[in-house]
Structure formats: C-alpha cells, structure tokens
Amino acid sequence: MVSAETARAAWKLFQEHVGEGLPVSAVIYSHTHGDHWGGVRGVVDEADVRAGKIPIIAPAGFMEHTVSENVYAGNAMNRRLFYQYALLLPASAYGFVGQGLGQAVSSGTVGLIAPTHFVDKPIAEIDVDGVRMVFQNTPNTEAPVEMNTYIPGMKALWMAENVTALMHNIYTLRGAQVRDSLNWSKHISQALYRFGVEADVMFASHHWPRWGNDRVQEVLRGQRDLYAHMNNQVLHLANQGVTISTIHNVYELPKSLQDMWFCRGYHGSPQINSRGVVQRFLGFWDGNPTRLIPLSPGDSAPLYVEMMGGGAKIMARGRELHDQGQYLLAQEIVNKLVEAEPQNQEAKDLLADIFEQIGYQQENTGLRNSFLNAAFELRSGIPEGETGNSSGPDVVRAMTTELFLNFLGIRMDSRKAEGMRFTINLVTPDNGETFLIELENATLTNIPGFQAKDPTLTLTINRSDLERTMIGAKTLEAQIAEGTAKVQGDASVLQKLASTMVDFDPRFEIMPGTKIRGPIGHADAYAAVPRQTIAE
Ligand SMILES: [Zn+2]
C-alpha cells in the first residue's frame, strides 16, 4: 500500500477474515514503485527489522532506483500526475472515475524501511519463515527493478506488477523513461515456463487472483504476447516509414488480444505505448525537418490565427466542428487560437468543451483524465493550495549523498552562477565518504572518492547530521553554528551556492493562460525536496 494508514487497515481486515494472531514474519518489496512499499510502517515495527526479527527482502538495486526514478525530474512528474490521475477533478461521471490500475492513490504517511536482504541472482530460492520461495528478478520491465515470486509448496505465483488485469504503460504520461516491452514479454515467458505451467493460482500486486492452471496460462500467454506484439509490430511499421507522429493512428493489436479483457488499455494505451516504442528506439524526431527546431507553439500560433482569418472565424468553425463531433479537428484550430491569445477566455472555454468530449470517448483513464484536467484548468485556472505531497523524511534519508549532490546541480539556476568558481571538499566521517564538488562554467558537478588538493572550502559533517539539512529540519548555517558541521577555508561559498538554488513549484502552467502566481512554501537552500510521486 501507499501509506501506513491504508496498509494498517488492510492488515486489520486480513486478521478479521483470516484470523488474528498470525504474525508478519517477513516483508517482500516486489518493486520500486511507492504504492508497493510506502505502507510498510503500517505492518511492521522498524525496531523488529533492525533486531533481525523481520527480514525485508527486495530485488537488487532497490534503494538506488526507488529514490532516483522520482527525484531528478520529480517536480515535473508531480505536475503531470495532475493530468494523468486527474487529482483536481471531483469524482463524477463527468469527472474523475479512476486511475486505470485502481480507483485512487491514498493520502497518508509514506514511509520506507531499507531492505535487509537483496535478491541479486536471476533466480534465487529463499526459505522465508519455513516457506520456500523462488524469486525471479525481472529488471527493466514494469519497473527498473522488480521481481516475481513463486511458492512451489502452494503452487502459487505472484507476478508482482508484471502481469495485472490490463495493458500496462510502456510510456507513462506522468513522464518516465520508456520501458522495454520486449524484455518485459521475455520475463513473462520465463515465468510461464518456469512456474506457470504448474501454478494453480496466480496473483499480482494489483487486481484479483486467477484460479486454475488453464486460466493462469491463458493470462500469462496473453500478456506475454501483448508486450511482444507492441514491440515487434510497432518496429515492423517503423521500418516501413511509420513515424512517432503517425504510429498511434496506424498500430493495432490483433483481434484476439483486443478480445482479452486483461489486455485492454485501461492503464497503458495502445496509442500511447506505440509512440513510446518508437521513442525508445528512434527518439522524438519523425524525420520531417519542420519538426526538428520548430518555433515554440506560442510564437507560431499568431501567424496561423492571422492566416485563418482571425479569432472570430476560428471560433465559428471550431463550434461547427465540435457540433459535428469532429473533436480532433476542432482541437487543432481552437488550440492555435488559445496559444495565440492565452487571455481569450471564450476560446479557452470552447477548447475545454472539445477536450471534454475527447476525454469522454477514451477507454484509457490516463487519456481521459488528461483531457478532463486540461479542460478544468482552461476554465478555472490552476487552483491554489496544496501542491502535492512532499516525500516523507524516510525517502529523503534513503537518498545517497551523491544523488543529493546531483539533485543540487539540478536545483541550481545556472544563470545565477555565471562567473562563480570554487571547489568544496565534502567529508562525511560517519560513513567514510568524500566528495569533490566543483562549480565552474555555471555548472555544479561532484565526484565521489576524490578530494581537491587546494579546495576553496572543506566541509566536514556526519551523514546523519547532513540528513537533517536534507529533510529541511535544520539549516546548514545552524549546523555550522552548533559545530555539527565544521568548515575550513572560505565558508562564504556556501551562501553563494545557496543563492543559486531554486524551489520548484509544481503548479507551473501547462495550458496557456491558466497560471497562478501565489506564493509557495520555501525550502531550505540545501534541502533535498524530492516530491513523492506515487506512480506505477
Ligand atoms: Zn503498483
């Protein structure tokens, strides 16, 4: 579960129906996404984990990928989640109806306890409190790090999130690196022939179990072919000249896969995934130089509006196309007017009407939500108020110092660092790490394990104290004043560096003319501030 509160409620429900007094004797993290570890504190006490009473088992590389996937572009992903998951819309037949994988992500306390056991071989057998489990690592599938689990004694197969009751995302709209559809299919194949040929029940980290070997095999085979087909047929078409700009209108699943409910595009979509496969292999350019270095939309739109005869003509034709149900054509022309005239509310309202109709026609919730959320913002602007969950201190603590320093380089506004030049030796004695941090060419870099011979500043602070600054609980200045951080050399470079740091605001404008300019909470200059994106 995402949060301790929901995980605790689920555990209580389990006890009510299966029996109290059954202990939690181990935790298995199937993969790196937050909806599969965020609730861990609702079912175990960290003290029991530390005392070695309760192992936490995870695939190798779990911590690195858990933290890194959502940090570097975290603010942009958090903003885009409002679109993919329609976080602003009321639950209604005309608004939010679901998030594809499930109904909604819970709010609550997101926690993380580091694993105690890592599965680092492709296949590993482990005795977990007397139950033999066979773990199958499946890297670069639904997540960068993921594993399936088979329990031979019960003929029970847990397919993590690799096989659920729908087509999953190859390209996910919140923004993520495109997943490897063929590799995903091959790992399902491995599971089918290692375990699926004898399994009596298959369950997953979302949705319901499948009972009986016939059904288990049917679902595994359908899902195997689904992910292989998207890879193979999209590349087949790409090799014949179909591009990222046209593939979604050309690619189709075979009829037999379309007829399987568990292969339909409720979460991932054939249209979006086909474009993702092209992106993975060929990138965003479709080969037409017009789309190589195009003007920004707001810069080219005024010429379109002028050539089309002005706003009034566009509005009239846009309404006509809307009334004829030609929504995709209508959006093309009305969107140009909105981009040319971001303050034209009448145009934004018409575009919102068009988006709504397109949204209502989608089987895929991410597409529906994106159109409906854009319609909401076009009519009402981006609302003020809560800006998404900051990650819990647990998650920031899980960041390596290198990842934290990398992220400072991203938070730095390079334009504010012109002409600055210094080196900092960072020493964290409690974990024995050293870093050489350099600012030159308006670029902040770091290299672990090195030290400058003649640094501008040497900063010595235990990693455990640095974490208090990373989570925003204590400023670096306060650490220096109290002596938990020691400085040698020119400490003024820390203020200089702090002056270049920017707080990302997850309410930036996506649709033209929808911006708000309210204040946002200010993070400490050296806080790590990754935002929690709960993303499957
Ligand atoms: Zn999930």
Side-chain angles (χ1 to χ4, degrees):
M1 296 284 181
V2 174
S3 55
E5 292 83 350
T6 49
R8 201 172 291 127
W11 178 230
K12 208 173 146 227
L13 185 75
F14 175 87
Q15 289 174 313
E16 271 169 35
H17 290 275
V18 183
E20 289 185 31
L22 285 166
V24 172
S25 51
V27 173
I28 300 166
Y29 294 150
S30 58
H31 62 294
T32 47
H33 295 153
D35 53 323
H36 302 273
W37 49 258
V40 65
R41 290 185 186 278
V43 291
V44 293
D45 187 338
E46 187 169 10
D48 289 337
V49 176
R50 294 211 170 168
K53 285 188 212 157
I54 298 178
I56 297 184
I57 303 164
F62 176 86
M63 289 305 276
E64 295 88 304
H65 286 280
T66 287
V67 178
S68 69
E69 199 191 3
N70 294 324
V71 173
Y72 293 149
N75 191 64
M77 284 185 188
N78 199 55
R79 176 72 175 100
R80 295 163 64 112
L81 275 180
F82 280 80
Y83 277 64
Q84 184 179 2
Y85 290 161
L87 301 182
L88 300 176
L89 301 186
S92 128
Y94 303 101
F96 175 86
V97 296
Q99 294 180 342
L101 270 180
Q103 289 314 104
V105 169
S106 70
S107 53
T109 316
V110 177
L112 177 60
I113 303 176
T116 58
H117 293 70
F118 289 99
V119 176
D120 53 8
K121 296 198 177 72
I123 299 286
E125 290 198 27
I126 299 179
D127 188 296
V128 182
D129 194 24
V131 179
R132 192 160 71 92
M133 297 192 183
V134 185
F135 296 101
Q136 177 202 359
N137 258 311
T138 65
N140 295 314
T141 51
E142 190 268 332
V145 164
E146 184 148 359
M147 64 183 188
N148 301 328
T149 304
Y150 184 56
I151 305 169
M154 300 171 181
K155 295 195 174 173
L157 175 57
W158 172 24
M159 284 303 287
E161 198 167 323
N162 284 313
V163 171
T164 54
L166 42 71
M167 172 192 290
H168 214 294
N169 290 299
I170 300 303
Y171 171 73
T172 182
L173 295 177
R174 68 167 157 106
Q177 289 180 21
V178 173
R179 294 165 185 163
D180 187 339
S181 199
L182 182 60
N183 185 59
W184 193 335
S185 169
K186 282 181 172 290
H187 279 293
I188 296 171
S189 234
Q190 285 278 336
L192 168 63
Y193 283 101
R194 278 181 189 281
F195 319 119
V197 287
E198 67 164 46
D200 284 336
V201 61
M202 174 170 73
F203 57 104
S205 302
H206 292 269
H207 312 136
W208 46 92
R210 270 63 163 228
W211 303 96
N213 186 257
D214 286 352
R215 181 65 172 156
V216 169
Q217 289 210 37
E218 184 193 0
V219 173
L220 282 171
R221 287 169 193 279
Q223 289 263 314
R224 172 198 64 187
D225 296 341
L226 173 68
Y227 294 104
H229 188 273
M230 283 192 286
N231 182 84
N232 297 347
Q233 184 65 9
V234 167
L235 292 180
H236 178 91
L237 292 166
N239 279 317
Q240 294 179 316
V242 181
T243 70
I244 197 166
S245 305
T246 52
I247 187 72
H248 53 287
N249 295 321
V250 178
Y251 173 72
E252 270 186 311
L253 284 163
K255 180 84 174 51
S256 56
L257 287 177
Q258 286 186 35
D259 286 345
M260 294 175 184
W261 290 110
F262 55 86
C263 288
R264 292 205 66 90
Y266 304 127
H267 189 39
S269 118
Q271 291 161 300
I272 301 305
N273 282 347
S274 61
R275 300 185 82 182
V277 172
V278 177
Q279 184 185 321
R280 181 176 179 90
F281 284 87
L282 299 171
F284 63 84
W285 185 40
D286 65 7
N288 180 334
T290 312
R291 284 183 280 274
L292 264 185
I293 48 165
L295 287 168
S296 296
D299 294 331
S300 61
L303 178 62
Y304 280 92
V305 172
E306 182 200 316
M307 296 294 294
M308 285 191 277
K313 274 185 93 171
I314 296 173
M315 289 297 289
R317 186 76 175 110
R319 274 202 191 93
E320 205 172 82
L321 288 166
H322 169 273
D323 295 347
Q324 291 165 358
Q326 305 261 29
Y327 304 118
L328 292 174
L329 284 174
Q331 74 169 353
E332 291 264 349
I333 62 169
V334 178
N335 180 54
K336 286 283 187 265
L337 180 56
V338 170
E339 281 174 335
E341 300 176 11
Q343 301 316 317
N344 184 338
Q345 192 57 47
E346 201 191 348
K348 286 190 283 188
D349 286 345
L350 178 56
L351 187 57
D353 288 345
I354 296 163
F355 279 174
E356 265 175 352
Q357 294 304 319
I358 299 172
Y360 294 155
Q361 293 184 351
Q362 304 306 314
E363 181 174 57
N364 177 273
T365 53
L367 285 171
R368 174 191 166 96
N369 290 341
S370 296
F371 281 103
L372 296 190
N373 195 78
F376 177 94
E377 291 185 0
L378 283 167
R379 289 206 183 98
S380 314
I382 304 165
E384 290 195 56
E386 270 303 300
T387 56
N389 306 322
S390 284
S391 62
D394 275 359
V395 181
V396 171
R397 255 183 236 119
M399 289 176 89
T400 60
T401 305
E402 183 177 8
L403 185 61
F404 162 66
L405 294 172
N406 292 349
F407 188 60
L408 280 187
I410 293 166
R411 278 188 64 210
M412 190 184 86
D413 183 348
S414 157
R415 292 162 294 193
K416 294 182 177 175
E418 284 286 358
M420 287 186 189
R421 184 166 185 167
F422 50 79
T423 54
I424 299 173
N425 282 346
L426 172 65
V427 183
T428 54
D430 59 341
N431 67 358
E433 287 188 338
T434 56
F435 294 88
L436 199 179
I437 303 163
E438 280 186 271
L439 179 59
E440 59 180 328
N441 300 311
T443 305
L444 187 70
T445 61
N446 72 82
I447 175 168
F450 284 81
Q451 295 278 271
K453 281 206 179 70
D454 188 19
T456 319
L457 172 73
T458 299
L459 174 67
T460 306
I461 180 170
N462 278 330
R463 161 70 201 204
S464 54
D465 292 319
L466 183 63
E467 281 166 15
R468 298 185 55 70
T469 297
M470 287 162 63
I471 64 173
K474 190 181 277 186
T475 64
L476 197 53
E477 287 156 325
Q479 303 255 24
I480 294 167
E482 288 174 17
T484 43
K486 293 190 175 54
V487 286
Q488 196 180 355
D490 179 6
S492 74
V493 296
L494 291 173
Q495 277 90 51
K496 277 188 205 151
L497 185 58
S499 74
T500 68
M501 292 297 150
V502 166
D503 294 336
F504 294 129
D505 184 341
R507 302 170 302 174
F508 58 77
E509 184 176 279
I510 293 178
M511 293 309 297
T514 55
K515 197 181 181 89
I516 51 149
R517 294 174 194 282
I520 61 155
H522 181 76
D524 179 73
Y526 290 107
V529 292
R531 291 180 193 278
Q532 183 60 41
T533 41
I534 296 300
E536 297 88 346

